[in-house]
Amino acid sequence: MKIDVLTLFPRMFVGPLDESIIRRAREAGRLELALHNLRDYALDRHKTVDDRPFGGGPGMLLKPEPLFAAVEDLARENTRVLLVSPAGRRFDQSIARELASREHLLMVCGHYEGFDERVRERLANDELSIGDYVLTNGALPVMVIIDAVTRLLPGVLGDEDSAREDSFSQELLEYPQYTRPAEFRGMKVPEVLLSGNHAEIARWRAEQARRRTQERRPDLFAKTFYESGIT
Ligand code: JF5
């Protein structure tokens, strides 16, 4: 998959996307990542990318001309153009799966008070948010989305992790897990996990996952219940 990123802060991406699994995905050629500075698409000699909103009000907006010029330069027939801002639809694991199936993403980082509305109308296929809070710009949320999508690309994770992705994510929270020692500072690992009774262990884990999800994430629990009939 190819991902182009349009941002006013390309240097923010250096570091986070050069480590660990994303680095390996890039080195293996499974992810091709290219950073583009929106300012390079400014049309005037002052390299202006923002302007004041018509009608007044606080803050600045990203003006349309540099964004249109950039997207028209970078997008192809099969490109998904994604805006990232707090006004987008909430990014989740199922959207990550959908994006991972695409050939080419062009991710546009929001900034200031956001985008001129004509960018939404004409340029973008979708607008995504990673949660209900306001950041200074879209670089961090774009990196979050790239991370979540990259680990789903074929051949990026080891077999064990990709199997986990299939069976667990988006269903329930994790059950409690323990490693050695069996007792640490007086805290004991639940007896059942040391029993060697695999049917019993599976039952305990399912119950713990259900209970934890119901308590901490009633929204997720309701969705899982609705989809699969788990009680
Ligand atoms: C941004 C205007 C974009 O703050 C965010 C964000 C929060 N959740 N998801 C994305 O993006 C940066 C800020 C202001 C447009």
Side-chain angles (χ1 to χ4, degrees):
M1 147 176 277
K2 167 100 189 264
I3 304 180
D4 284 296
V5 177
L6 195 53
T7 173
L8 284 170
F9 306 103
R11 283 177 310 174
M12 282 185 71
F13 292 79
V14 180
L17 301 181
D18 291 316
E19 295 290 338
S20 181
I21 290 166
I22 298 190
R23 181 200 194 104
R24 287 213 315 269
R26 295 174 74 179
E27 286 171 353
R30 300 189 187 276
L31 170 67
E32 186 189 345
L33 191 68
L35 300 167
H36 307 274
N37 194 331
L38 178 61
R39 206 166 289 283
D40 294 341
Y41 290 93
L43 303 172
D44 63 318
R45 64 191 184 87
H46 294 112
K47 303 264 169 226
T48 311
V49 293
D50 59 337
D51 205 345
R52 291 153 36 209
F54 277 122
M60 301 288 270
L61 295 176
L62 289 175
K63 56 197 269 96
E65 301 94 319
L67 285 165
F68 273 74
V71 172
E72 283 162 4
D73 182 38
L74 298 169
R76 310 186 294 252
E77 196 61 55
N78 61 358
T79 306
R80 287 291 285 178
V81 179
L82 305 172
L83 306 183
V84 178
S85 92
R89 72 186 171 110
R90 176 70 64 84
F91 180 71
D92 64 12
Q93 194 66 23
S94 83
I95 296 176
R97 285 194 204 103
E98 177 206 319
L99 296 181
S101 75
R102 304 279 178 176
E103 198 133 316
H104 184 204
L105 305 180
L106 172 48
M107 306 191 66
V108 183
C109 299
H111 190 43
Y112 307 114
E113 301 310 306
F115 304 98
D116 182 289
E117 191 62 22
R118 291 164 292 192
V119 170
R120 291 197 172 88
E121 238 169 80
R122 231 3 129 53
L123 218 48
N125 298 118
D126 204 351
E127 184 166 2
L128 298 174
S129 161
I130 63 163
D132 292 337
Y133 36 81
V134 182
L135 304 169
T136 54
N137 69 78
L140 288 167
V142 162
M143 285 188 262
V144 166
I145 293 168
I146 290 173
D147 188 287
V149 169
T150 301
R151 64 183 287 286
L152 300 182
L153 298 176
V156 167
L157 291 186
D159 288 346
E160 231 170 85
D161 292 317
S162 13
R164 276 166 54 79
E165 156 64 21
D166 290 340
S167 56
F168 279 104
S169 67
Q170 208 52 18
E171 291 174 25
L172 292 173
L173 299 184
E174 277 296 350
Y175 46 77
Q177 301 199 84
Y178 302 85
T179 185
R180 290 185 291 181
E183 182 175 345
F184 175 68
R185 299 194 179 181
M187 297 179 284
K188 290 185 170 144
V189 171
E191 204 58 57
V192 59
L193 298 179
L194 312 175
S195 70
N197 183 336
H198 296 293
E200 186 109 348
I201 290 170
R203 213 165 22 240
W204 182 86
R205 285 177 167 168
E207 166 63 12
Q208 293 290 318
R210 183 197 60 75
R211 199 187 282 178
R212 178 172 279 191
T213 308
Q214 206 163 13
E215 200 169 288
R216 297 187 187 180
R217 292 294 308 279
D219 58 322
L220 193 58
F221 185 78
K223 192 165 143 193
T224 304
F225 175 78
Y226 183 72
E227 280 169 9
S228 71
I230 294 172
T231 57

